[in-house]
Amino acid sequence: MSAVLPTAEVPAADDLLAVTEDVWLALLGDEAVLLPRAVPAGSPFDAAAWSAATTISGGWQGVVTVELDESVARRLTTRMLALPEAEEASDSDIADAVGELVNMVGGNVKSLMPGPSALSLPAVAAGRAAFASDAALACRLDLAWQGDPVRVSVHVPQEGPR
């Protein structure tokens, strides 16, 4: 876990972890435990990834992103959509599942911050998330699910959340 901007109006890493674990548990059940993963601050996500972002705007502004290893994204999708183990999830299915994941985490982050605020539709990509040049990392979780990397981040405008 890391928190880069020590301001009062960014989600605490412990709060981001709690909402991420709650969402993960709701989507995947009791056996799907996320574990902390030691990654040096400033390190890029170290996996072939799927990523998704959702923007919170209004009383508080920020961007919540989720980055997943390819194998995590496929297993997550298979479980979320209750696909047979032998059936491979399509890219469209993965995009839907990863988008729903960031939407749920983002909605929970929105509820922690001053409002009223609105949550954008998720943007999903097969690849790493890109950020606007005026966004700064506020909070980051590096986790592992069944040994593969998962990253959840919150970015805020460089002048801080409004």
Side-chain angles (χ1 to χ4, degrees), residues 65-87:
T65 61
V66 173
E67 296 176 273
L68 306 171
D69 177 79
E70 174 78 23
S71 66
V72 173
R74 290 197 175 281
R75 284 181 278 146
L76 171 84
T77 302
T78 297
R79 300 230 351 229
M80 283 177 68
L81 301 179
L83 298 174
E85 291 287 330
E87 185 175 333

Side-chain angles (χ1 to χ4, degrees), residues 114-130:
S117 298
L119 191 66
S120 73
L121 291 173
V124 181
R128 295 205 49 235

